[in-house]
């Protein structure tokens, strides 16, 4: 239980310490790295505890549920917290070199850890309004991070990101309000239990749709995705890698959580719509990527199409499909963060991200090419890399459910993903440099930039070659999600709490 | 009372969305403010409007009186107002900065990051 709290308190504490030492660069960096390391240790401990016991719960303030705010980690949230720890440590190490002193003095590391606090809080909470609050913690930190550099592109991307996310928060609040008005509770397990016995279709549908739109914006689902390619390529590489890895996946997590837990008894209401949205998201994302020639814009559009696969897993709703969705989410966080970090290394070495202006990297930087090759082709779904198993399980589940149109779309999108990954590969690495000579500022990249990329690439390969352990984990997590009664019983079981009242 | 509040919420939503669809940054802010007020009122109204009823327990019986007002929507709206206030203040300062960087109040001038390169 203490580790459950530690996953929120450690980043909050690191943020505080970073805030205090923001004018001392060396201290600041040290605290940030140590904080991220401690978070990884705590989340590993939490994960093993959840793996042994099934759930770890905490009733804050000693109030019995459903009155107090419940914090609960099941296998799905624990593995998301664990992967957050991994990504946070990788990005912090990458930031050592990528983030200059000016940004550290404007509290980069404090905001970084606040963002992680919000993300972990959103994964762990068992209370709908508390989820809203964690979303806001995460969003406010991300708003400042995305505009931290203060350049015109950053401010412009920041405005688009800010406005659309404000609207989605408002929709989220409306959905929460309507659910509370109908059911008189905000505890997610309690909502699920009461909704199962309710048949007021009008209010249930309206709040379900509000939540779908709100989480859809955060997850960059079709048709709410347009803010993502407009903003994700503008900030520093470390920042956009963190966003690409984690923020949209919080939206996916919230979608999976709400439609497997809150609305589990009314899943048919949204299933058809989710299937359509998943297909449309995949197609629009990959077509956008095909049109672009800037590395980070291509990668941004790919986030969207990959979100489509995860939502496809959720929409099909069978055990295998959910397993695939969870596996996909975990693998995608690692791969996408890695791709953005590597994109940053390419930009550093070539001075530009425009594919038309760079080339010949295979000759000048063979190591970098190999590093890029691994996550890029994992994203494209080439066996035996991790993306293949993720796509395979989702598509197999689609075939089992006889959703042939969706499966065809998913396969075509896979081919197009591969096409645009080979485009980056061919343009940046294979073709000769446009001037026919070595790019001007092609220097060495420094260990702190390369180490996280290597570590994440090794993880991708390991997941690909030994996919069984992670697949087994995703399978148990999806079994937990498909049996919401266990979750509900765990939260709502009669609690033995110390009574502090006057009697 | 419920009907009036419902009409008010609808009007606020309509006005907010209308402002969001305009091209000026200033109206964008006003739209966001109107929308967040509408959402706060919606939460409040959905929780049940119970005028003239206390939301606390009586000191003699230590139990709330019959038909007491639900204090939770008030707490939720209070939290939402604080969060919304912070977000609006941040939005105003960011839009001011962006206005200086882009040099235009027109949202159509914010198209640099959307271009295909």
């Amino acid at each position: 239980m203490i580790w459950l709290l530690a996953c929120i308190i450690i980043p909050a504490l690191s943020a505080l310490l970073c805030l205090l030492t923001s004018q001392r660069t060396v201290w600041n960096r040290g605290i940030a790295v140590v904080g991220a390391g401690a978070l990884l240790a705590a989340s590993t401990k939490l994960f093993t505890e959840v793996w042994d016991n099934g759930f770890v719960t905490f009733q804050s303030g000693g109030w019995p549920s459903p009155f107090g705010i419940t914090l609960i980690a099941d296998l799905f949230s624990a593995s998301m917290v664990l992967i957050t720890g991994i990504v946070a440590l990788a990005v912090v190490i990458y930031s050592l070199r990528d983030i200059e002193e000016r940004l550290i003095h404007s509290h980069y590391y404090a905001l970084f850890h606040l963002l992680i606090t919000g993300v972990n809080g959103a994964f762990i909470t068992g209370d709908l309004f508390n989820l809203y609050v964690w979303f806001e913690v995460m969003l406010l930190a991300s708003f400042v991070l995305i505009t931290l550099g203060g350049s015109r592109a950053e401010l412009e991307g920041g405005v688009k990101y800010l406005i659309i996310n404000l609207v989605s928060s408002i929709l989220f609040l409306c959905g929460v309000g309507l659910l509370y008005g109908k059911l008189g509770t905000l505890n997610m397990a309690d909502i699920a239990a009461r909704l199962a016995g309710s048949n007021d279709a009008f209010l249930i549908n309206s709040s379900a749709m509000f939540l779908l739109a709100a989480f859809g914006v955060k997850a960059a689902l079709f048709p709410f995705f347009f803010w993502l390619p407009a903003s994700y390529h503008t900030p520093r590489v470390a920042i956009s890698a963190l966003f690409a890895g984690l923020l949209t996946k919080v939206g996916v997590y919230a979608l999976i959580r709400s439609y497997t837990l809150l609305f589990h008894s009314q899943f048919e209401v949204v299933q058809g719509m989710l299937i359509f949205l998943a297909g449309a998201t995949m197609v629009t994302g990959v077509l956008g990527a095909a049109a672009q020639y800037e590395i980070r814009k291509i990668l941004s559009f790919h986030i969207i199409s990959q979100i489509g696969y995860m939502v496809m897993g959720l929409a099909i709703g069978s055990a295998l499909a959910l397993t695939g969705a969870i596996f996909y989410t975990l693998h995608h966080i690692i791969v996408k963060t890695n791709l953005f970090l590597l994109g940053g290394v390419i930009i550093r070495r070539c001075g530009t991200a425009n594919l038309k202006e760079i080339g010949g990297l295979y000759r000048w930087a063979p190591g970098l090419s190999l590093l890029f090759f691994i996550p890029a082709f994992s994203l494209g779904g080439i066996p035996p890399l991790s993306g293949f198993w993720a796509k395979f399980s989702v598509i197999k589940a689609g075939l089992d459910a006889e959703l042939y149109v969706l499966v065809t779309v998913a396969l075509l999108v896979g081919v197009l993903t591969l096409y645009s990954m080979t485009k980056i590969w061919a343009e940046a690495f294979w073709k000769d440099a446009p001037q026919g000579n070595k790019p001007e500022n092609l220097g060495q990249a420094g260990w702190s930039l390369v180490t996280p990329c290597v570590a994440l690439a090794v993880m991708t390969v390991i997941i690909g070659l030994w996919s069984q352990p992670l697949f087994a984990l995703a399978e148990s997590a999806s079994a937990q999600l498909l049996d919401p009664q266990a979750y509900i019983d765990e939260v709502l079981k009669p609690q033995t709490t110390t009574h502090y009242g006057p009697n | 009372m419920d009907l009036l509040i419902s009409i008010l919420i609808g009007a606020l939503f309509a006005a907010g969305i209308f402002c969001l669809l305009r091209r000026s940054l200033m109206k964008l802010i006003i739209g966001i403010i109107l929308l967040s007020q509408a959402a706060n009122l919606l939460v409040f109204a959905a929780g049940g409007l119970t005028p003239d009823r206390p939301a606390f327990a009586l000191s003699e019986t230590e139990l709330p009186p019959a038909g007491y007002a639900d204090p939770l929507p008030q707490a939720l709206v209070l939290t939402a107002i604080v969060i919304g206030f912070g977000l609006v203040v941040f939005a105003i300062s960011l839009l001011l900065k962006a206005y200086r960087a882009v040099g235009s109040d027109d949202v159509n001038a914010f198209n640099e990051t959307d271009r295909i390169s």
Side-chain angles (χ1 to χ4, degrees), chain A residues 74-226:
Chain A
D74 65 351
L75 263 180
F76 183 34
S77 25
S79 37
M80 293 301 274
V81 169
L82 179 61
I83 211 101
T84 305
I86 294 171
V87 167
L89 188 60
V91 175
V92 153
I93 292 176
Y94 191 91
S95 310
L96 292 179
R97 178 96 182 243
D98 190 51
I99 301 297
E100 69 261 33
E101 259 178 56
R102 182 174 67 89
L103 295 188
I104 291 179
H105 290 172
S106 40
H107 309 299
Y108 166 74
Y109 282 117
L111 290 162
F112 178 96
H113 280 288
L114 273 180
L115 182 79
I116 302 291
T117 315
V119 170
N120 273 349
F123 287 149
I124 285 174
T125 184
D127 184 283
L128 205 54
F129 193 76
N130 198 229
L131 182 65
Y132 167 77
V133 175
W134 285 124
F135 263 62
E136 299 306 315
V137 170
M138 175 184 98
L139 282 178
L140 205 45
S142 71
F143 291 152
V144 186
L145 273 178
I146 208 168
T147 55
L148 202 61
S151 71
R152 177 181 166 166
E154 278 176 278
L155 289 170
E156 206 180 278
V159 168
K160 289 164 188 165
Y161 179 74
L162 170 87
I163 299 296
I164 191 71
N165 275 296
L166 283 184
V167 174
S168 106
S169 298
I170 289 167
L171 292 178
F172 188 9
L173 190 59
C174 294
V176 171
L178 287 179
L179 263 184
Y180 181 76
K182 179 64 193 161
L183 303 170
T185 179
L186 286 165
N187 188 295
M188 283 169 16
D190 202 19
I191 291 177
R194 289 190 195 201
L195 270 182
S198 160
N199 50 9
D200 188 340
F202 179 68
L203 263 161
I204 291 163
N205 289 355
S206 58
S207 51
M209 287 304 133
F210 267 127
L211 293 187
L212 180 65
F215 297 149
V217 172
K218 314 263 189 231
L221 215 58
F222 176 88
F224 314 112
F225 62 84
F226 43 83

Side-chain angles (χ1 to χ4, degrees), chain A residues 136 156 160 180-181 293 297, chain B residues 46 70 87 112-113 115 117:
Chain A
E136 299 306 315
E156 206 180 278
K160 289 164 188 165
Y180 181 76
Y293 270 91
K297 281 193 183 177
Chain B
D70 185 354
L87 288 176
E112 204 175 73
T113 60
R115 287 201 191 114
S117 56

